[in-house]
Amino acid sequence: MRAGALTVGAVMAAVLLAGCGGGTGDGGSKSPRPKGGSASATSAKETRLSRGTVRRNVRAAAAAGGFDRVVDRVVDRAGTPARCRVIAAVPTDDVPKAAALAKVVADLKGRGWEQVFRKPEDGGVTWLFTKANWGLYVFTTAPSKEDPDGPRFTFSGQRLDCPNAPATASP
C-alpha cells in the first residue's frame, strides 16, 4: 500500500505541475450552448465543479458498482471538509471485482469524467480521470505485509485550480 500511495502521490504531483485538466471544459455538454453574450459565462461556469458535486459523483459511481458505503477521509484542521480535496474510501474485504469496477468507471464516464489513464500495479489498478477543474484518481490495492488492513478501494480528488496556500485576511 505504501508503494501504491507514493505512486499515486507522485502522479498527482506531476498532473498538478503540468496543469492537466485546468479550464478545458467537462468533455462536452449534452445540451446546445446558447448563442450570444451569455455563452462565455455559461462556458466558464461549466469548467468549474464544486467539491459537493465531485463527492456526489463519487458516491453515485460507487453505488453503480454495487458499493453501498463510502467514507470521506479528508477534513481540514477545524474538522470541516477540505475544500480542494476529496478522499473517500470504500470499505471492502478484498480488492473489488473487475465487473464492479467497470460499472464504477462507466458511471464516471457517463457523468462527463474523462479517463486519462488506467494502470495495473501491485495487484490493483489505478485510473486517473479529469473533469473541469478536478483530477480524480480511483485506485484499488491488494493487501500487503505493510498494510494488511488498509483500504482496498479509494477515490482521491484534487481541485486543480485551488491555491496552494490558504488565503489569509490582511489587517
Side-chain angles (χ1 to χ4, degrees):
M1 173 83 176
R2 192 170 295 162
L6 290 174
T7 301
V8 170
V11 173
M12 181 64 87
V15 169
L16 292 173
L17 290 173
C20 180
T24 60
D26 65 358
S29 175
K30 292 183 177 155
S31 62
R33 297 206 185 274
K35 297 186 183 219
S38 65
S40 62
T42 301
S43 177
K45 187 175 184 181
E46 289 176 358
T47 62
R48 297 178 55 86
L49 296 176
S50 70
R51 180 182 187 278
T53 298
V54 175
R55 285 184 67 234
R56 284 188 294 277
N57 284 193
V58 164
R59 289 180 179 281
F67 303 99
D68 59 351
R69 196 165 151 235
V70 177
V71 180
D72 288 343
R73 312 265 299 203
V74 173
V75 293
D76 67 14
R77 290 183 199 146
T80 59
R83 68 185 181 99
C84 296
R85 299 275 298 147
V86 169
I87 297 180
V90 180
T92 61
D93 292 331
D94 203 0
V95 177
K97 303 287 184 223
L101 293 172
K103 291 176 183 177
V104 169
V105 168
D107 188 81
L108 286 171
K109 288 179 177 179
R111 294 174 186 282
W113 289 88
E114 181 182 337
Q115 183 176 325
V116 176
F117 71 77
R118 176 189 181 279
K119 180 183 176 195
E121 58 185 355
D122 299 331
V125 181
T126 300
W127 289 266
L128 172 61
F129 295 90
T130 59
K131 182 176 179 182
N133 57 328
W134 282 82
L136 178 66
Y137 283 96
V138 177
F139 57 95
T140 63
T141 58
S144 67
K145 289 179 185 177
E146 295 85 21
D147 194 11
D149 298 323
R152 303 289 159 243
F153 181 25
T154 306
F155 294 85
S156 178
Q158 173 73 40
R159 203 176 100 196
L160 301 174
D161 62 347
C162 199
N164 290 336
T168 57
S170 55

